[in-house]
């Protein structure tokens, strides 16, 4: 199943990442770098549907750190895998008092 999810937060940037871990893990495991995101625990693959890769342990090539894209006035929508920003060119706005 391919999916995309949204989350809301204050102060987020495109440098932030999210890691989905197994229920048996804690964010504080492995010095706040939990390995429980690996495919062995979560069955999560990333990069799908084009280049699917099983999430590896944190020392592997695909540690499961999901990218964050922030909607702005210049970029409101993204293509697959969070690439190709769709520009938000507003030509006119009417202010209603």
């Amino acid at each position: 199943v391919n999916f995309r999810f949204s989350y809301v937060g204050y102060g987020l940037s495109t440098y932030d990442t999210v890691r989905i871990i197994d229920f048996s893990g804690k964010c504080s495991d492995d010095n706040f770098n939990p390995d429980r995101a690996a495919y062995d625990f979560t069955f999560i693959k990333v990069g799908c549907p084009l280049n699917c890769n099983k999430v590896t342990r944190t020392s592997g090539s695909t540690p499961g750190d999901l990218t964050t894209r922030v909607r702005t006035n210049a970029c409101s929508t993204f293509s697959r895998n969070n690439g190709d920003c769709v520009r938000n060119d507003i030509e006119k706005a009417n202010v209603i008092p």
Side-chain angles (χ1 to χ4, degrees):
V1 173
N2 291 318
F3 70 94
R4 176 182 289 230
F5 71 97
S6 300
Y7 58 97
V8 178
Y10 180 77
L12 294 171
S13 77
T14 56
Y15 301 105
D16 294 320
T17 58
V18 173
R19 187 180 299 166
I20 300 171
I21 62 173
D22 182 69
F23 72 93
S24 64
K26 292 184 272 183
C27 292
S28 58
D29 288 349
D30 304 312
N31 198 26
F32 294 93
N33 195 18
D35 256 345
R36 297 277 178 171
Y39 183 84
D40 299 342
F41 301 101
T42 62
F43 303 102
I44 292 177
K45 295 180 182 180
V46 294
C48 299
L50 303 175
N51 297 312
C52 289
N53 291 298
K54 291 179 180 178
V55 171
T56 62
R57 293 186 178 262
T58 53
S59 60
S61 60
T62 311
D65 296 333
L66 307 176
T67 59
T68 298
R69 292 302 300 258
V70 179
R71 289 185 176 154
T72 66
N73 60 341
C75 194
S76 60
T77 309
F78 306 97
S79 64
R80 280 187 196 176
N81 297 328
N82 287 334
D84 301 327
C85 167
V86 176
R87 293 197 46 84
N88 191 16
D89 296 324
I90 298 172
E91 293 182 16
K92 182 178 178 182
N94 292 326
V95 177
I96 300 172

